[in-house]
Every structure is written in structure tokens, then in C-alpha cells.
């Protein structure tokens, strides 16, 4: 898959799909493209004096962002509820980041087959 294909896949195919697993590459490519898109949308919004444009973009990608994070946690054999650890100031954010960087479970786990083997 190409650079933007991961992003498009999360938006188009897995918009609110909280089931299954997402490999590290899927999560981090989505995150990278999402950050770049947010910057571009923010700059365009500032140029055309429509600052609400960035907020609308953020709202549009909120659910896919949560969904891919939950699927990424599933890949490490953790419940999607672990996403809430990020609400703890500083320590929780660091802990969630570490969980998102960890390699996924090899082979099948309770959340489905290994996405590396599937694709």
C-alpha cells in the first residue's frame, strides 16, 4: 500500500470499524497523513479567513482516528478501553504512546487474525 492508501483505507473502508486489528504501519501512516492534512486544512482556513474549517476537519476524522487506535490496541491484545489511559495527564499519554508503538501479537489473538499475515 502507498503512503496515502493507509489513510484512505481508514476513512473509506474502516470509518467506524472498531472490530479487528490494525498493524503499526496502518496506524502510524494514518496518523502522519492526518497531521499533515490538518496542517494543510488549517493553513487554507487561515488564508480564506474560515478558521472553522480546521475544526470541521478534526470532527470529520475523530471517529476514524479513535477506531484505528482501538484496532491498534487490539493488535497488542488489549481492549480498546485502554485508549482511556490517555486521559491521565502526561503519564497516561506516554503509556498510551508506548502501547501504540509495541509490536502486535504474532498470530491470531482474541480480536482476530494477524493483519501482517492477512495482507
Amino acid at each position: 500500500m502507498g503512503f496515502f492508501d493507509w489513510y484512505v483505507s481508514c476513512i473509506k473502508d474502516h470509518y467506524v470499524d472498531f472490530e479487528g486489528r490494525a498493524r503499526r504501519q496502518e496506524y502510524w501512516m494514518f496518523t502522519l497523513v492526518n497531521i499533515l492534512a490538518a496542517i494543510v486544512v488549517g493553513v487554507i482556513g487561515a488564508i480564506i479567513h474560515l478558521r472553522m474549517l480546521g475544526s470541521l476537519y478534526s470532527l470529520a476524522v475523530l471517529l476514524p482516528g479513535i477506531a484505528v487506535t482501538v484496532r491498534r490496541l487490539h493488535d497488542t491484545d488489549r481492549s480498546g478501553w485502554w485508549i482511556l489511559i490517555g486521559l491521565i495527564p502526561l503519564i497516561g499519554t506516554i503509556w498510551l504512546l508506548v502501547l501504540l508503538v509495541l509490536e502486535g501479537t504474532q498470530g491470531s489473538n482474541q480480536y482476530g487474525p494477524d493483519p501482517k499475515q492477512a495482507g
Side-chain angles (χ1 to χ4, degrees):
M1 287 182 96
F3 185 69
F4 289 99
D5 293 334
W6 293 106
Y7 180 79
V8 171
S9 174
C10 285
I11 298 293
K12 186 178 174 187
D13 302 332
H14 303 289
Y15 191 81
V16 289
D17 184 9
F18 295 91
E19 302 289 323
R21 298 165 62 174
R23 55 193 290 193
R24 278 187 293 193
Q25 186 175 12
E26 178 182 357
Y27 175 79
W28 289 109
M29 286 298 163
F30 173 82
T31 302
L32 176 63
V33 173
N34 191 28
I35 290 169
L36 295 174
I39 291 169
V40 169
V41 168
V43 168
I44 291 171
I47 290 171
I48 63 173
H49 303 291
L50 187 61
R51 300 207 185 268
M52 188 172 71
L53 195 61
S55 298
L56 290 174
Y57 173 77
S58 296
L59 186 60
V61 296
L62 177 66
L63 287 177
I66 293 171
V68 74
T69 304
V70 166
R71 290 194 320 273
R72 177 72 202 117
L73 289 167
H74 286 174
D75 193 38
T76 62
D77 207 16
R78 288 177 177 76
S79 167
W81 290 105
W82 274 94
I83 197 171
L84 297 177
I85 198 79
L87 296 175
I88 299 172
L90 190 61
I91 300 297
T93 305
I94 294 169
W95 193 346
L96 181 59
L97 180 63
V98 168
L99 293 177
L100 295 172
V101 170
L102 289 175
E103 185 174 354
T105 307
Q106 292 183 352
S108 295
N109 67 18
Q110 63 181 330
Y111 299 103
D114 189 344
K116 283 185 178 180
Q117 294 174 353

